[in-house]
Amino acid sequence: MKGARIGMRLLARGVLVAGGIVSLVPFLWMAIAATHSTSELFHSPPPFLPGGKLLDNLSRLQETIGFGRVMLNSLGVAVVHTLLSSVVSAMCGYGLAKYRFRGRGLLLGVVLATMMIPFQVLLVPLFQMMASIGWIDTYQAVILPFLANSFGILLMRQSFVDFPDELIESARIDGSGELRTFYRVVLPCVRPQLGALVIFTFMAGWNSFIWPLLMLNSEDRYTVPVALNTLTGLSHVDYSGLMLGSLLATLPLMALFLLFQRQFVAGLLGGAVKG
């Protein structure tokens, strides 16, 4: 029996290692392709080692789409969206978890129902709404319509459900206001779940493509996904530029995950236990 358990552990670890290697292959190929020219990528056999065109590709990417500028655009949009959306999700989740009011169950059901609506259904009415208030080609049109995120609200609600009501009542008795109680007493206790929400929200804002593509018309306002899309033409595709741009665009996400890794894992495990 002991030998069988050891064998199963080794098999499980082998499967995990193999899965990890397979998942890294596309990223490795992207890194190699970023150092070659587009013509070299179509040689037979294709290159399997880094080339010497990294600086040339980077210079062309900067000249073509102003990559440094679009990275800053994406970073600003993603950071503002993450901060505002996390605050909205946390406050809405707290209200649904700890306040008793008529229609709370119906409101929670509505929030759940919005997760079943395809995003494509909202494109036309949202575009008409943004056009009617003159927000086309503005960053507020990219950020504000999606601050109330149903996934974030439900995640934070589940985090607040098991928080002791006695602590909230004690803070109120001591003269603490509702906002101070929320930010000083309740919110620090759900820091792991909040960290997971920050990562999910930042990734959604950073990788968003269809909505910024519809809203932003000026090239100097483009975000990274929209700018990289301009490298794909009818007769020519700059594959090496796309690979390099995609590689550089993953760096902020990797840095964010490494920064909040412990909170991310703890937040997901905590939400699973409480749910």
Side-chain angles (χ1 to χ4, degrees):
M1 293 296 293
K2 184 177 180 180
R5 286 196 296 268
I6 295 176
M8 291 298 295
R9 290 178 182 175
L10 292 176
L11 178 61
R13 292 177 181 178
V15 171
L16 291 175
V17 170
I21 294 174
V22 170
S23 66
L24 288 176
V25 168
F27 188 81
L28 178 62
W29 166 248
M30 183 171 62
I32 293 175
T35 63
H36 290 271
S37 64
T38 298
S39 59
E40 291 175 346
L41 298 180
F42 291 93
H43 286 175
S44 182
F48 293 103
L49 295 175
K53 299 296 180 62
L54 177 62
L55 295 180
D56 294 339
N57 293 336
L58 183 60
S59 176
R60 188 178 69 259
L61 197 64
Q62 178 64 26
E63 293 176 0
T64 305
I65 62 175
F67 192 74
R69 183 189 66 248
V70 299
M71 283 284 285
L72 291 177
N73 293 344
S74 279
L75 186 63
V77 169
V79 168
V80 173
H81 175 260
T82 300
L83 292 176
L84 296 179
S85 182
S86 298
V87 171
V88 170
S89 297
M91 296 183 72
C92 290
Y94 178 71
L96 289 173
K98 293 303 180 183
Y99 285 89
R100 304 291 184 266
F101 54 90
R102 183 176 299 178
R104 186 180 65 161
L106 177 62
L107 183 59
L108 180 61
V110 171
V111 174
L112 284 169
T114 58
M115 299 182 68
M116 306 174 192
I117 301 176
F119 170 70
Q120 291 78 4
V121 176
L122 305 175
L123 289 179
V124 173
L126 278 178
F127 183 87
Q128 292 176 339
M129 185 183 301
M130 296 300 105
S132 65
I133 59 179
W135 280 9
I136 299 297
D137 200 24
T138 62
Y139 287 134
Q140 58 261 35
V142 177
I143 298 172
L144 296 182
F146 304 101
L147 291 185
N149 180 271
S150 55
F151 170 79
I153 293 173
L154 293 174
L155 176 65
M156 296 310 298
R157 177 196 177 269
Q158 289 303 110
S159 304
F160 291 127
V161 163
D162 292 336
F163 188 86
D165 294 334
E166 292 79 8
L167 293 180
I168 299 176
E169 293 298 330
S170 297
R172 290 170 178 169
I173 292 173
D174 291 339
S176 177
E178 292 297 322
L179 285 178
R180 186 174 182 180
T181 300
F182 173 68
Y183 283 110
R184 294 292 183 89
V185 178
V186 181
L187 203 58
C189 296
V190 295
R191 194 175 302 166
Q193 290 80 5
L194 187 61
L197 176 62
V198 166
I199 292 178
F200 279 122
T201 307
F202 186 88
M203 288 179 60
W206 182 266
N207 294 324
S208 180
F209 170 66
I210 295 181
W211 185 244
L213 178 65
L214 291 175
M215 288 292 101
L216 302 177
N217 300 326
S218 303
E219 292 185 1
D220 60 343
R221 296 178 182 269
Y222 281 174
T223 57
V224 170
V226 178
L228 291 179
N229 181 63
T230 62
L231 299 177
T232 304
L234 295 176
S235 58
H236 175 72
V237 179
D238 187 358
Y239 286 105
S240 57
L242 282 172
M243 293 298 102
L244 178 57
S246 301
L247 178 65
L248 294 175
T250 61
L251 297 181
L253 298 179
M254 295 174 62
L256 183 70
F257 179 78
L258 292 176
L259 184 63
F260 289 97
Q261 181 179 9
R262 296 179 62 182
Q263 289 86 349
F264 178 73
V265 175
L268 292 183
L269 294 178
V273 172
K274 291 180 181 180

